[in-house]
Amino acid sequence: MSFSRALRSPWIAALMLAGLSGCAWLPQSDTTGALRASGTLYLTAEGGRLETCEGAVYPVRVDASMRALFEQVAAPNQTLAFVDLRADLLADNTLRPHTVLRMGTRGNGCADTLARQSQWIAVGERPEWLLRIAERGLQMTTLGDTWQPVVTEQLPEGARGFRSLEGEPVELWLYPQPCFTVLDGHYYSHRAQLLTAGQSYAGCAYPGLLAADQPPR
């Protein structure tokens, strides 16, 4: 699977930077100054800088929790990582992040098209699986490219579920809890649980740009 192979290949800085200009769908801004932005985050002792996928550059106000997350995801002495976040754009053109949706040092970065085509993306390891939620329903890589209609359930405290209505029974539950992949050490904003074929599989997930709570384009 190309996605999982990309996750395992080292992310060379030059390739990552070259991909920044090829993704023009971020940032998105609403009338309150809140936006969602992704790109390369450079972090040093002096501060942070985000070069977005569309090429805009913003100084970033990095607090202790975000710095700790960066240090957990990145290798020692590494100063850059791909990040997808929600932030406030302040009057001085700096970003004040309030939610990190995902962060990692390997993968497709700005070349990844899944986020802009999906409401939710969930990934798992051992065995590998990738599941997308979009307007067409539910699509899981291990079941091919078929889209299945789903019923959605929203629970208190932010948990939500998606259950297939046709074909092989598939149920996905998402919980707003920090999640790290084992093999790559990537961070995601949600923990995922996949139920299918009588088995339960753990994974991580993040909202795509088509999620209901995203800023308008």
Side-chain angles (χ1 to χ4, degrees):
M1 183 169 62
S2 59
F3 180 85
S4 59
R5 287 199 300 270
L7 285 178
R8 289 193 175 88
S9 60
W11 195 353
I12 302 173
L15 293 179
M16 182 173 61
L17 294 178
L20 289 175
S21 60
C23 183
W25 41 279
L26 293 174
Q28 302 172 339
S29 178
D30 63 19
T31 56
T32 65
L35 58 80
R36 176 170 173 174
S38 68
T40 306
L41 174 66
Y42 294 86
L43 185 60
T44 66
E46 289 72 34
R49 183 179 83 255
L50 178 67
E51 295 188 3
T52 69
C53 289
E54 67 169 12
V57 180
Y58 297 97
V60 179
R61 297 189 180 183
V62 180
D63 60 15
S65 61
M66 186 171 182
R67 187 175 292 275
L69 176 61
F70 185 96
E71 292 174 352
Q72 185 169 355
V73 170
N77 300 318
Q78 188 171 4
T79 59
L80 58 85
F82 177 82
V83 67
D84 183 1
L85 52 78
R86 296 191 187 107
D88 296 320
L89 181 60
L90 305 180
D92 60 358
N93 205 44
T94 64
L95 293 181
R96 182 173 59 201
H98 52 78
T99 306
V100 177
L101 302 174
R102 53 183 171 141
M103 182 184 291
T105 57
R106 303 166 185 251
N108 291 333
C110 288
D112 180 13
T113 61
L114 291 179
R116 61 179 171 178
Q117 298 172 350
S118 309
Q119 296 172 348
W120 288 91
I121 303 97
V123 296
E125 306 168 313
R126 300 173 179 172
E128 296 179 14
W129 55 271
L130 187 152
L131 190 152
R132 294 174 54 205
I133 301 295
E135 294 179 355
R136 289 180 286 177
L138 177 153
Q139 182 192 58
M140 193 165 71
T141 51
T142 57
L143 300 178
D145 297 328
T146 302
W147 287 91
Q148 301 182 31
V150 297
V151 58
T152 302
E153 185 175 358
Q154 184 80 39
L155 298 181
E157 300 180 358
R160 64 190 73 201
F162 304 90
R163 187 173 68 253
S164 63
L165 296 176
E166 299 176 0
E168 181 175 332
V170 177
E171 194 169 342
L172 177 70
W173 285 95
L174 304 177
Y175 305 92
Q177 300 168 356
C179 186
F180 292 87
T181 56
V182 175
L183 297 180
D184 299 293
H186 289 186
Y187 168 81
Y188 296 90
S189 60
H190 285 67
R191 179 174 62 85
Q193 182 183 22
L194 172 66
L195 305 173
T196 183
Q199 301 292 323
S200 176
Y201 303 100
C204 299
Y206 66 97
L209 290 179
L210 301 183
D213 60 348
Q214 296 308 296
R217 295 194 231 185

